[in-house]
Amino acid sequence: MKVQLKDIAHGRCGDKSDTSNICIYARKPEYYAAMEQQLTADRVRRHFEGLVFGDVTRYELPQLDGFNFVMHHALDGGATRSLRLDTLGKCMEAALLRMEIELDT
């Protein structure tokens, strides 16, 4: 069954200059394996196509059942330079939590 990440995970985020980072944590340990398999750096980059123009790096945090994604050239120059209204750190976290993944039932 397909679910949105927001239904099985929560997140934290931040931004600095033109880099955004988003941490996604499974709400239950049993969701971690599906997230590990499907929540790849490439898939996150595709999810933000047109907004993120640099590399996306995934750091695994298995002891916390989570992942940290660092996205470069993601904020149109950063908060003081960007003309974007809603694409800085916290908004990007909400957008990522809308991604769908497949869960075994």
Side-chain angles (χ1 to χ4, degrees):
M1 116 178 111
K2 283 193 177 190
V3 298
Q4 288 187 327
L5 279 174
K6 69 178 182 66
D7 297 325
I8 64 165
H10 61 96
R12 298 286 298 165
C13 60
D15 54 70
K16 193 62 84 181
S17 185
D18 201 17
T19 301
S20 177
N21 91 312
I22 304 171
C23 293
I24 301 293
Y25 303 100
R27 291 187 186 277
K28 296 181 179 177
E30 55 264 29
Y31 300 143
Y32 181 79
M35 290 170 53
E36 181 178 34
Q37 208 171 43
Q38 298 174 59
L39 193 57
T40 64
D42 186 54
R43 185 151 180 225
V44 169
R45 185 162 177 10
R46 286 193 318 265
H47 187 73
F48 287 108
E49 188 172 8
L51 292 175
V52 174
F53 298 100
D55 292 334
V56 174
T57 305
R58 178 178 92 166
Y59 296 95
E60 297 181 14
L61 305 165
Q63 68 279 19
L64 299 174
D65 295 321
F67 305 91
N68 182 26
F69 294 92
V70 178
M71 303 182 293
H72 298 277
H73 304 293
L75 302 172
D76 197 29
T80 59
R81 299 184 69 189
S82 177
L83 296 178
R84 295 179 187 170
L85 295 177
D86 290 328
T87 56
L88 300 177
K90 293 189 181 5
C91 296
M92 294 183 87
E93 172 197 343
L96 184 55
L97 286 171
R98 289 188 195 104
M99 179 189 285
E100 290 185 333
I101 66 168
E102 193 70 36
L103 274 186
D104 293 332
T105 56

